[in-house]
Amino acid sequence: MDKIVIKGGKKLCGEVNISTAKNSILPIIAASILSGDKCIIEDAPMLEDVFVISDVLRTIRTKIDIDNNTNRILIDTSNIKDCEASSDLVKKMRASFLIMGSMIARFGKFRLSLPGGCNIGTRPIDLHLKGFSALGAEVSVGHGYVEAQAKKLIGNKIYLDFPSVGATENIMMAATTAEGETIIENAAEEPEIEDLAKFLNCMGANIIGAGTGTIRIIGVNELKGTTHKPIYDRIEAGTFMTAAAITRSKIKINGINEGHLKPVIAKLTEAGVSIEIEGSSMIVDADKELKPIDIKTMPYPGFPTDMQSQMSGLLCSVHGTSIITETIFENRFMHATEMKRMGANIKIDGRSAVIEGVNKLTGAEVRATDLRAGAALILCGLIAEGETEVTDIYHVDRGYVNIEKKLHGLGADIERLKM
């Protein structure tokens, strides 16, 4: 078990390169099942979640070669035979459920244990199952498993009660070879949905409207292999933007899409951070007194829930009262208890966190309760007086490539140690 140790108080400077997106590559790997051919993913992020979903596919006889030197992944799904994945692996990561749509589309049946993942709140799979049923699959849930069967999927109009990213992706994959036209209404609009559609269209799918609230899929007979590079990770970019802000530093971030970061840019600018865009790079300059702000998380294009924890850490260092309202996950303030160990003044009231800025944070041993909470605690450690130890860092490894090395490259006093 590893931990990350930070000695706070150092300004950041220099440049950092953002990796491609975790939330893009996971559904893309799942979608590769549809081709029955070879797919290549270039510049893949070498993350724990990528290794887990790769192992899930290996249990159904997919050949996956991961080249850590070139960040290239070769996926060959031509020999898939099994229609049930390892339950132990699926329970490790919620995104494993994304293989269900592809497996039903290609093989007409699949059985999967109920998925795991970060304990940040209820994330029911009912919208996924509603979509599969609407396409003609017979779905049953029991004894910790989900099973779906369909002789032939038929296109249909599907309205999602909530714009779920995972459900949108799973239904989109299932519908690629369904007979006729499928329309997903109130679909999630995240950039990662667009990226998945781009990958599927390169494979031969006919998908229109990804990235909007209405997605149309015209079923095709078959899909072929392709090569794809995922989009840059907007949440990693936002995390490093917040790292510059919390340390009142000036850094350059390479590998960004301004359109994907609009809500984060808007809120940091409102707090007084200066941000300049230069193509796919940005200069973040926070060497000044910052102001308290209010944030409300919303589905894209609103403020991302995946940036809420990091912004909580920043606002602990900003004099005045800030309020963060979390509308996506009901249990996503677990980082507050850990930040209080460092001297933060945070009060939780239902779905809202009231944050009073403090003069200083103090180093302490804290625990990463989930992926983004772990990143937020590392950010707090950058400004805390003394030494901060962040344990259960495996959560952070699920979504950040070498976060401690990237921060060290910017001048932070940070290292990873064995416990």
Side-chain angles (χ1 to χ4, degrees), residues 12-321:
L12 304 182
C13 64
E15 301 184 23
V16 63
N17 296 324
I18 299 303
S19 302
T20 51
K22 168 183 107 79
N23 290 335
S24 268
I25 193 171
L26 299 182
I28 285 169
I29 290 174
S32 67
I33 292 169
L34 289 162
S35 73
D37 200 351
K38 292 179 181 178
C39 291
I40 295 171
I41 302 172
E42 304 281 10
D43 199 18
M46 294 294 111
L47 297 166
E48 184 61 27
D49 274 10
V50 171
F51 302 141
V52 171
I53 199 168
S54 296
D55 284 342
V56 170
L57 263 67
R58 288 185 180 109
T59 67
I60 53 174
R61 304 190 190 184
T62 299
K63 182 180 178 183
I64 300 184
D65 292 323
I66 300 176
D67 190 329
N68 288 280
N69 294 319
T70 62
N71 294 340
R72 187 172 181 265
I73 301 178
L74 172 63
I75 307 169
D76 183 351
T77 63
S78 59
N79 292 318
I80 293 180
K81 291 184 175 64
D82 296 326
C83 284
E84 180 177 338
S86 163
S87 59
D88 290 340
L89 289 169
V90 171
K91 288 173 183 176
K92 275 188 176 183
M93 186 180 66
R94 183 176 182 78
S96 302
F97 197 72
L98 290 172
I99 69 174
M100 192 141 199
S102 293
M103 290 296 290
I104 299 168
R106 184 172 163 195
F107 296 100
K109 63 178 181 177
F110 195 56
R111 186 172 186 261
L112 195 66
S113 67
L114 293 172
C118 282
N119 185 28
I120 56 176
T122 304
R123 294 184 285 178
I125 58 170
D126 58 320
L127 295 179
H128 302 243
L129 305 185
K130 174 184 174 182
F132 297 151
S133 296
L135 294 173
E138 293 182 10
V139 179
S140 60
V141 181
H143 305 290
Y145 284 85
V146 178
E147 189 166 0
Q149 297 187 54
K151 290 184 179 179
K152 178 68 179 177
L153 294 178
I154 307 295
N156 202 349
K157 182 178 285 189
I158 300 166
Y159 178 84
L160 297 179
D161 298 327
F162 177 83
S164 161
V165 174
T168 300
E169 292 168 339
N170 231 340
I171 295 166
M172 196 162 69
M173 286 184 271
T176 53
T177 56
E179 185 178 300
E181 182 181 61
T182 298
I183 300 174
I184 307 173
E185 296 182 322
N186 197 32
E189 301 179 24
E190 273 75 359
E192 294 80 14
I193 302 285
E194 271 190 273
D195 201 28
L196 173 61
K198 182 179 178 181
F199 176 73
L200 289 168
N201 284 339
C202 286
M203 293 168 71
N206 187 349
I207 301 170
I208 303 164
T212 74
T214 302
I215 301 175
R216 294 177 179 271
I217 306 113
I218 309 297
V220 298
N221 290 327
E222 63 178 3
L223 299 176
K224 62 182 186 302
T226 190
T227 299
H228 184 76
K229 176 184 173 180
I231 59 174
Y232 290 113
D233 196 316
R234 61 194 171 96
I235 304 302
E236 185 189 18
T239 300
F240 278 94
M241 292 165 70
T242 310
I246 198 170
T247 57
R248 309 302 192 265
S249 301
K250 181 178 180 180
I251 66 171
K252 184 177 183 181
I253 302 173
N254 302 314
I256 62 102
N257 182 311
E258 181 181 2
H260 298 171
L261 289 164
K262 281 183 177 179
V264 179
I265 291 171
K267 281 300 172 183
L268 286 175
T269 301
E270 184 183 335
V273 178
S274 173
I275 297 172
E276 295 179 17
I277 308 295
E278 300 175 351
S280 62
S281 298
M282 68 163 57
I283 304 290
V284 183
D285 187 354
D287 190 13
K288 61 188 75 174
E289 185 73 22
L290 300 184
K291 299 173 289 187
I293 56 173
D294 294 340
I295 294 172
K296 184 177 184 179
T297 65
M298 297 288 286
Y300 190 87
F303 192 90
T305 180
D306 278 354
M307 280 300 302
Q308 180 260 106
S309 303
Q310 300 91 309
M311 291 296 287
S312 295
L314 168 63
L315 296 173
C316 288
S317 73
V318 177
H319 292 298
T321 304

